[in-house]
Amino acid sequence: MKKIIICMLDKTFPPEHSFVDGMLSSILPDSNNEVFLITSRGECSKNSKVYNKSIALPMLNERIGIKRFTNFIILLRLLKKLINENKNEDNSVVFFVRNEPVYLLAASFLRKKVHRLIFQQSFPHEKANVSFLKKIITTSIFKISRRSVDAILTVSPLAIKRLERFFGRGIKSAYIPLLNNSSDVISQMELINKQGERSKDPVKFVYTGTHDRSRELFKVVNAIQMTNLSSSQATFTFIGGKDLDIDFVRKNSNALELEKMGIIQFQKSIRREELIMSLRQYDVGLSLIPPIELFRESSPTKLVEYMGAGLAVIASKGIPLQDDFLNESNAGFLSEWNEIEMAQAILNMQSDENRLKQFQINAVKYSKETLIYENYLPILKDLIS
């Protein structure tokens, strides 16, 4: 029997997200699984579009203010239409909801008309820095939808334990970290060529992703200053920050001085596909995250992307999956979350060219063997079936 998997995503078209690009739209669709991706419109038209091997339906409003709740009615109508068009003796329909509670509520209303309902949560949104009202709404929807959800999917084991409090300990569950496509992992020959071209250039460090205040990036900048490295020895590029967040980093560190010296620079966000390729010009990725409760159950997306691009890594201790990946791969250093230890890790990485090269080789090897979505496809198919 063919499965029609209708995925409701907390994304605007095009979604450009690791799990969406690497799993839902690429390797899950096959002769037995047809995938629809429902997203917000963004600036595109309402027409259906091909996205990798899936069919994208960018038909929802932005998830902002009251528009978020208007999606409940829009989604109910769209889901009924898709069920009527696709459900028959040869096809079964599966709902897959990613993160958004309003989408989960709509899907739960139609649960009896489909084969299964799977809820994926990639971040503890009900614990994040949101209003008390939003937290109440989120947890209330979880309780209302409890009996309609057949399985939960998270990005780490810790997240399963948290969600079991809402959906029951007996519920079927699994976790799939945020990983790479096998095609995103640099080839061994490309890595060798990159290493050969380095000569005596400065070691290039990079940080990608949010610069939100909760990440305390000013501490990383302080650590860079403590190394006393010059721009001829090492450079540091921070990609993806919003202007307000970058200003906060500058106000709480000597970032401006380091920028003038050419040691660090801030760059705006770029599309994920472009970012994955651009990472290959760097040597070391910084996956430095404060190990607070909010981030402990995170899947270290950036660390995985760095390793797939052939970068050695400096990562903060205290994020369980991050600890596991780095301990198992021997692709870099784990550091305590304080400026002194981070500065020492940077100095250690910069001081030994041969060790740096070996870390990069280890990163690529581990990425190809472990950190690709193809290895986790059976887990997702098991939840769907």
Side-chain angles (χ1 to χ4, degrees):
M1 179 176 283
K2 186 173 183 178
K3 289 197 167 48
I4 310 299
I5 305 153
I6 302 174
C7 304
M8 292 150 258
L9 308 178
D10 58 331
K11 292 290 176 185
T12 298
F13 187 86
E16 293 187 332
H17 177 270
S18 170
F19 187 79
V20 179
D21 293 355
M23 180 71 87
L24 294 181
S25 68
S26 295
I27 61 173
L28 178 59
D30 57 25
S31 58
N32 296 315
N33 297 289
E34 184 174 1
V35 177
F36 291 87
L37 305 177
I38 301 176
T39 69
S40 297
R41 288 191 296 273
E43 297 180 357
C44 72
S45 68
K46 290 186 178 182
N47 298 330
S48 63
K49 300 177 182 294
V50 174
Y51 189 74
N52 293 330
K53 297 178 183 177
S54 67
I55 301 170
L57 302 171
M59 298 183 177
L60 301 178
N61 292 327
E62 288 181 282
R63 297 165 47 250
I64 298 175
I66 195 66
K67 288 184 179 180
R68 180 190 299 265
F69 297 98
T70 63
N71 282 329
F72 177 79
I73 300 300
I74 298 171
L75 193 54
L76 276 181
R77 292 172 178 168
L78 179 57
L79 292 177
K80 287 179 181 178
K81 182 175 182 290
L82 290 172
I83 291 170
N84 291 335
E85 291 175 349
N86 293 281
K87 186 179 178 182
N88 55 48
E89 293 181 357
D90 298 320
N91 296 340
S92 64
V93 176
V94 175
F95 284 163
F96 184 96
V97 179
R98 185 180 187 276
N99 287 325
E100 175 57 60
V102 173
Y103 301 171
L104 178 62
L105 185 63
S108 69
F109 271 51
L110 298 174
R111 167 61 188 87
K112 292 183 179 180
K113 294 182 177 292
V114 299
H115 178 62
R116 288 179 76 74
L117 168 54
I118 301 165
F119 178 58
Q120 181 192 41
Q121 195 184 45
S122 61
F123 185 78
H125 296 278
E126 73 281 2
K127 286 187 173 184
N129 186 25
V130 296
S131 68
F132 179 73
L133 180 59
K134 282 186 177 180
K135 292 180 181 180
I136 291 296
I137 292 173
T138 298
T139 54
S140 297
I141 290 176
F142 283 175
K143 291 174 183 178
I144 293 169
S145 307
R146 175 187 175 112
R147 294 187 178 181
S148 300
V149 175
D150 298 285
I152 53 175
L153 179 65
T154 69
V155 295
S156 72
L158 281 179
I160 292 177
K161 293 181 180 179
R162 177 178 50 79
L163 283 182
E164 283 178 341
R165 295 201 297 269
F166 297 106
F167 297 100
R169 292 192 175 184
I171 192 169
K172 189 164 187 175
S173 62
Y175 78 92
I176 299 176
L178 299 178
L179 304 167
N180 289 311
N181 262 355
S182 58
S183 59
D184 289 335
V185 180
I186 191 172
S187 71
Q188 205 74 26
M189 184 56 65
E190 285 179 288
L191 178 62
I192 291 170
N193 291 339
K194 181 180 102 169
Q195 291 175 336
E197 292 169 357
R198 271 215 69 245
S199 64
K200 294 184 179 180
D201 290 342
V203 177
K204 298 176 182 177
F205 294 77
V206 65
Y207 171 95
T208 64
T210 178
H211 292 36
D212 185 85
R213 295 185 181 193
S214 62
R215 298 294 175 119
E216 298 182 352
L217 268 182
F218 61 89
K219 292 186 178 179
V220 179
V221 175
N222 289 338
I224 293 169
Q225 184 184 31
M226 291 175 64
T227 64
N228 288 319
L229 290 169
S230 67
S231 59
S232 64
Q233 295 172 297
T235 61
F236 300 81
T237 304
F238 293 80
I239 303 173
K242 297 178 180 177
D243 290 341
L244 283 176
D245 294 329
I246 295 172
D247 288 342
F248 179 79
V249 174
R250 286 172 174 152
K251 289 176 183 177
N252 289 274
S253 68
N254 286 322
L256 276 173
E257 180 183 339
L258 295 173
E259 286 178 86
K260 290 176 183 176
M261 296 168 63
I263 295 172
I264 72 171
Q265 62 174 314
F266 293 96
Q267 294 181 4
K268 293 185 177 181
S269 297
I270 55 178
R271 295 185 61 179
R272 183 174 181 274
E273 183 178 348
E274 184 182 347
L275 174 64
I276 295 298
M277 295 305 296
S278 70
L279 285 177
R280 299 183 181 188
Q281 67 184 283
Y282 298 97
D283 303 304
V284 183
L286 300 176
S287 186
L288 295 166
I289 312 166
I292 58 178
E293 183 184 1
L294 188 63
F295 298 138
R296 276 180 49 77
E297 66 177 57
S298 299
S299 177
T301 318
K302 299 309 171 186
L303 179 141
V304 171
E305 290 174 351
Y306 298 150
M307 292 173 66
L311 277 63
V313 180
I314 297 176
S316 48
K317 293 180 181 177
I319 313 296
L321 274 184
Q322 186 156 272
D323 294 346
D324 291 345
F325 289 166
L326 212 48
N327 283 326
E328 292 170 7
S329 65
N330 190 27
F333 296 121
L334 281 168
S335 167
E336 295 290 350
W337 180 251
N338 65 68
E339 287 97 329
I340 295 175
E341 285 226 9
M342 287 189 283
Q344 190 59 56
I346 291 169
L347 285 171
N348 289 342
M349 189 69 80
Q350 187 272 336
S351 65
D352 191 329
E353 177 76 15
N354 291 329
R355 179 169 55 192
L356 172 59
K357 288 182 178 180
Q358 188 59 54
F359 282 158
Q360 293 173 338
I361 292 169
N362 294 346
V364 173
K365 183 174 184 291
Y366 188 74
S367 294
K368 289 181 180 295
E369 293 174 351
T370 306
L371 302 181
I372 54 174
Y373 280 115
E374 285 84 347
N375 293 339
Y376 287 82
L377 182 59
I379 294 175
L380 181 58
K381 286 189 173 181
D382 179 57
L383 287 185
I384 290 169
S385 62

